[in-house]
């Protein structure tokens, strides 16, 4: 059994339902400390974070990830216990197997191998780990980033271990993510009896033309790395439940997934302009849960692409699809952030799993990336 498999199984066995860490950081930290890492545990609220660093010089290459996992769902729908790592037909099953305990284990074993071969390597290596990525993500990576900012500690390269592969580990690197901007729109009318339309103002009717225009608006054209920005309604609620009452308000929840071709302020201004154009009385509350980030082709993506080619023979693709990740926080102090991990087909699902053969492949890719960036010539 490989070291990466053993450590992955050890981590899966910890029931680290977000925001609980359940000692995963200590398991990882104990191994890192043995090879010269200085550990800094950062507790924020109910969240455990770890900043571990080996070396004091630049460039600094950081591996980032999370120990927390999403809830299991109905246990009777799992073929085996989600916190008892089980191998069947070459697949390792367990909650967090793909998202992202395999990557955490591969981080550790690749670093152990690299330090053993290059004890006097160039620059520094760090890990930024949290137990608050799958939840609200307010006391996790963002807090460690704030701490590093206050100290003036910057990261040159960051590899986030999110599961990025479509069909085979190594086929996709994420070099950016779209931002997420949500709005809670309340359009006001006048409630009354449905039989007296001259005495009421139906907010659903009033809002409909504005909704149609918002849905038809081209917010931007995207760019080389991102598709055009998308605006979607997720919920609409209006009415008292009675069939003979016009409601006084209608509530609309919507979300932008936006690219670097747009700005937060620009999107807000366009929405307000459309609503005002239709003479609506409304309240609109905004929530920004993530800014977009983009890492153009450069040293890090080239180093990892070459590592993937050497380890797997695959010519990887750069992509910005998918939801948000903690890369959005790290991008504030790091100019080059990429995400690369195992196949994402089963993440958050029942019977989550990862191919056993991919574990050592993943570790090798991380190891070769370090060799490409930090090994002395």
């Amino acid at each position: 059994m490989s070291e990466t498999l053993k450590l992955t199984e050890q981590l899966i066995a910890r029931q680290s339902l977000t925001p609980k860490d359940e000692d995963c950081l200590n398991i990882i930290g104990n191994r890192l400390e043995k090879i010269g890492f200085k550990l800094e545990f950062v507790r924020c609220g109910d969240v455990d974070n770890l900043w571990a660093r080996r070396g004091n010089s630049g460039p600094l290459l950081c591996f980032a990830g999370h120990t927390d996992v999403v809830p299991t769902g109905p246990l009777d729908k799992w073929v085996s216990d989600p916190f008892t790592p089980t191998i069947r037909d070459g697949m390792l099953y367990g909650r967090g197997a793909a998202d992202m305990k395999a990557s955490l284990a591969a981080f550790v074993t690749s670093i152990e191998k690299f330090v053993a071969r290059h004890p006097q390597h160039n620059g520094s290596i760090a890990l930024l780990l949290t137990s608050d990525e799958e939840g609200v993500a307010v006391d996790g990576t963002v807090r460690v980033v704030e701490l590093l900012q206050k100290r003036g500690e910057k990261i040159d390269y960051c590899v986030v271990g999110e599961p990025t592969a479509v069909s085979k580990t190594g086929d996709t690197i994420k070099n950016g993510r779209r931002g997420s901007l949500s709005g809670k729109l309340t359009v006001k009318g006048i409630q009354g009896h449905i039989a007296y339309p001259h005495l009421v103002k139906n907010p659903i009717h009033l809002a409909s033309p504005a909704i149609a225009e918002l849905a038809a608006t081209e917010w931007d054209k995207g760019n080389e790395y991102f598709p055009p920005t998308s605006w979607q309604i997720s919920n609409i609620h209006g009415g008292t439940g009675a069939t003979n009452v016009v409601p006084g308000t209608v509530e609309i929840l919507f979300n932008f997934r936006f690219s670097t071709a747009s700005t937060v302020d620009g999107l807000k201004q366009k929405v307000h302009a459309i609503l005002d154009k239709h003479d609506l009385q409304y309240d609109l509350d905004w929530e920004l849960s993530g800014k977009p980030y983009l890492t153009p082709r450069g040293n890090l993506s080239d180093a990892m692409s070459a590592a993937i080619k050497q380890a797997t023979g695959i010519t990887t693709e750069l992509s910005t699809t998918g939801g948000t990740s903690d890369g959005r926080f790290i991008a504030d102090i790091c100019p080059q952030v990429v995400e690369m991990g195992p196949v994402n087909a089963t993440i958050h699902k029942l019977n989550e799993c990862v191919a056993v053969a991919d574990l050592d492949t993943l570790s090798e890719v991380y190891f070769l990336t370090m060799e490409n960036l930090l090994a002395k010539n």
Side-chain angles (χ1 to χ4, degrees):
M1 184 184 294
S2 78
E3 283 299 312
T4 309
L5 173 57
K6 285 192 287 187
L7 182 53
T8 303
E9 290 187 331
Q10 189 178 4
L11 294 173
I12 290 173
R14 313 304 299 191
Q15 298 187 35
S16 55
L17 294 168
T18 189
K20 295 181 179 178
D21 168 67
E22 294 297 324
D23 216 37
C24 290
L25 292 179
N26 281 323
I27 292 171
I28 293 170
N30 288 340
R31 293 181 66 147
L32 295 175
E33 198 168 32
K34 292 177 182 177
I35 55 172
F37 277 78
K38 179 182 178 181
L39 308 184
E40 188 174 354
F41 290 94
V42 181
R43 176 79 174 179
C44 299
D46 295 327
V47 176
D48 292 297
N49 304 294
L50 172 62
W51 174 248
R53 178 167 178 164
R54 185 183 197 275
N56 298 305
S57 62
L60 172 57
L61 169 60
C62 174
F63 293 93
H66 59 91
T67 61
D68 59 323
V69 299
V70 297
T72 62
L75 293 175
D76 61 346
K77 300 296 184 182
W78 284 75
V79 176
S80 54
D81 186 283
F83 296 108
T84 301
T86 305
I87 296 176
R88 295 190 305 275
D89 300 322
M91 305 297 293
L92 173 62
Y93 288 82
R95 175 55 85 219
D99 189 14
M100 58 179 292
K101 292 183 175 179
S103 295
L104 299 182
F107 286 166
V108 174
T109 58
S110 66
I111 292 169
E112 289 173 336
K113 179 180 177 180
F114 180 76
V115 170
R117 293 198 185 180
H118 306 279
Q120 303 300 322
H121 58 80
N122 290 325
S124 304
I125 306 169
L127 275 85
L128 197 172
L129 305 178
T130 183
S131 67
D132 181 35
E133 195 272 348
E134 298 291 8
V136 293
V138 296
D139 285 323
T141 298
V142 64
R143 298 298 181 211
V144 180
V145 167
E146 290 171 352
L147 176 64
L148 297 177
Q149 283 179 313
K150 288 179 182 178
R151 298 200 303 227
E153 200 166 350
K154 295 183 179 180
I155 301 169
D156 296 287
Y157 310 117
C158 183
V159 176
V160 184
E162 289 292 342
T164 58
V166 177
S167 59
K168 188 174 182 180
T169 294
D171 64 14
T172 306
I173 294 173
K174 303 286 188 182
N175 67 319
R177 295 277 188 165
R178 292 177 296 176
S180 179
L181 175 65
S182 297
K184 178 181 177 181
L185 171 65
T186 303
V187 177
K188 303 173 183 179
I190 297 176
Q191 180 176 319
H193 198 292
I194 208 163
Y196 299 92
H198 58 291
L199 299 178
V200 302
K201 287 186 178 179
N202 192 318
I204 300 174
H205 294 181
L206 295 172
S208 294
I211 291 173
E213 184 169 348
L214 289 165
T217 296
E218 180 183 76
W219 305 96
D220 58 49
K221 296 182 181 297
N223 55 36
E224 178 186 357
Y225 296 99
F226 287 102
T229 291
S230 167
W231 181 86
Q232 296 289 331
I233 290 175
S234 58
N235 290 271
I236 294 181
H237 177 74
T240 63
T243 60
N244 61 350
V245 178
V246 170
T249 61
V250 60
E251 182 182 276
I252 301 162
L253 304 182
F254 63 83
N255 177 266
F256 280 106
R257 290 302 166 105
F258 65 103
S259 73
T260 52
S262 287
T263 65
V264 173
D265 288 341
L267 293 173
K268 288 181 178 180
Q269 289 170 7
K270 287 182 181 180
V271 170
H272 282 287
I274 291 171
L275 297 175
D276 293 341
K277 171 185 172 182
H278 290 274
D279 295 323
L280 298 179
Q281 288 187 305
Y282 66 91
D283 294 323
L284 178 51
D285 297 320
W286 294 97
E287 180 181 0
L288 176 66
S289 56
K291 296 182 294 184
Y293 78 88
L294 175 65
T295 298
R297 293 182 186 277
N299 292 348
L300 180 55
S301 61
D302 288 348
M304 177 156 278
S305 296
I308 291 170
K309 185 70 172 180
Q310 185 176 344
T312 69
I314 294 173
T315 300
T316 193
E317 294 185 3
L318 298 182
S319 171
T320 60
T321 59
T324 59
S325 78
D326 277 359
R328 68 192 190 273
F329 303 127
I330 300 168
D332 287 339
I333 58 170
C334 180
Q336 297 188 50
V337 180
V338 300
E339 303 172 28
M340 187 270 171
V343 175
N344 59 22
T346 65
I347 61 173
H348 294 202
K349 293 183 179 181
L350 299 170
N351 300 305
E352 180 181 350
C353 60
V354 64
V356 173
D358 284 351
L359 299 176
D360 285 336
T361 299
L362 191 59
S363 181
E364 184 69 6
V365 170
Y366 295 150
F367 166 75
L368 292 172
T369 301
M370 283 183 279
E371 286 223 313
N372 292 337
L373 292 170
L374 300 180
K376 289 187 175 180
N377 296 326

